Amino acid sequence: IPVEDFDLVVFGGTGDLAQRKILPGLFRRYVAGQMPESARIIGAARSDYSDGDYCDLAHDAIVEHVADVDRDKLSAFLDQLHYIAIDAKGDKGWGELKDLIRSDVITAFYFSVGPSLFGDLAERLHSHGIADRDSRVVVEKPFGRDLESARALNRTLADHFDERQIYRIDHYLGKETVQNLMAVRFGNVLFEPLWNQHYVDHIQITVAEEIGVEGRGEYYDRSGAMRDMVQNHLMQLLCLIAMEPPSVFGSDAVRDEKLKVIRALQPVASHEIVRGQYDGADGMTSYREDVGDPRSHTESFIALKVHCSNWRWAGVPFYLRTGKRMKARSSEIAVTFKDLAHSIFPGDEARHRNILSIQLQPDEGMNLQVTIKEPGPGGMRLIDVPLDMTFADALGPENNDIPDAYERLIMDVIRGNQTLFMRGDEVEAAWAWTDPIIDGWEERGDVPKPYDSCSAGPEDAMMLMHRDGRRWRDIK
Ligand code: BG6
């Protein structure tokens, strides 16, 4: 079903994100018939491009990032593109933008630029009468680097837009499998009764990446894994796993419940955090080489044990880990249930546990470890087997074209659905929990532990769980 007619202005329209995600995503939605023929995408940036130059840039970006491009469709899509050379801090381009924007369609402004320009853009959108009370503004992470800067950004945006107009992207929320967490939890009768401290032993959340910091060393070295991944993406996963059922799948109901989870998180003790930094191996560069700082103390890996102190989760640890240059790209959430209260099978010494693991990427699917009788005449011997389901197999080939997170999220902006976007108070609460952790290691002068590229992270991360008599799941 096509969304309503719209004008979408992408500030930073020639940048990396526009080329890798926004333009290819919009093209895919166009091909899927979701973008009305009259909708317009207006790239806005500093360079003096013509409409034609911008179409060339978009053409190349789409051909590079979209498989099997239909050339006719691409050329029709490019007809919907415009470009305006604009000065975020001056007057250039704003009159032209005002003339181009239609007043009778949905208008959305994507700030795909550094946060230092948010205020300038918002102010000019208003002073030139371009944005109205129904316009939407989309902002990207990093949303600040601590609580103070996040508050300042929220204030800047609030000076010009109502909260209902602001769409803070965390692209993990746009991933199909991440949304599936809510479907699994709240769409089945099976899991929810067990989803609490009476039945759950612990939960592991792993987001492992194979890539290093690639060309983003300068940004990354100022952030590290805690700011880059935990404060936002892992936090969102934790919220979806831990939250109470919202009364309805609506934007404020969902975000209210997520906020309660973040506010219930306990401070993390220093011995429950392990930071790591990758070494080079087999011709691969080390983190320090990648960021060009031989003394960098920024972490490219972090593991931590987190407690959510509320009625549902009291005493249940959440082990979180994420890192770059790990042995595989794999994101998984695993819920390990408690031991049976009593085993009726004499001689069965092994510990059998039900584990529900949800594979977020790649090979999206679910796996439930269950205990059954080992086949054969050997008596009542028990073994653990997986009840395995990859979504690709279960859903069939016609449903295997999973939309990219950005496609989904941009269409939600046009539809005016904020459910999968972070609210201002949520982002601030996440920083309020993150700040003391980072301050702690900065004050102590902690140095991250080295780990081999293509490994599961530093040895100390293993110890974090071994100490509790538990172990991390393999990264496969
Ligand atoms: C981004 C981080 O937000 O997410 C990157 O800045 C990281 O460092 C990326 O690589 C991971 O996203 P995905 O979708 O590849 O899991």
Side-chain angles (χ1 to χ4, degrees), residues 226 268 273 302 304 433-442 444:
M226 187 72 181
V268 183
I273 306 170
I302 188 164
L304 57 173
W433 176 77
T434 311
D435 275 3
I437 299 176
I438 297 176
D439 291 348
W441 74 56
E442 284 180 352
R444 292 189 302 272

Side-chain angles (χ1 to χ4, degrees), residues 141 171-172 175 209 216 228-229 233 324 329 361:
K141 76 175 267 273
H171 79 280
Y172 266 55
K175 288 181 190 274
E209 297 187 273
R216 300 161 69 231
D228 184 53
M229 296 293 289
H233 305 325
K324 295 202 180 283
R329 174 172 185 255
Q361 62 186 26

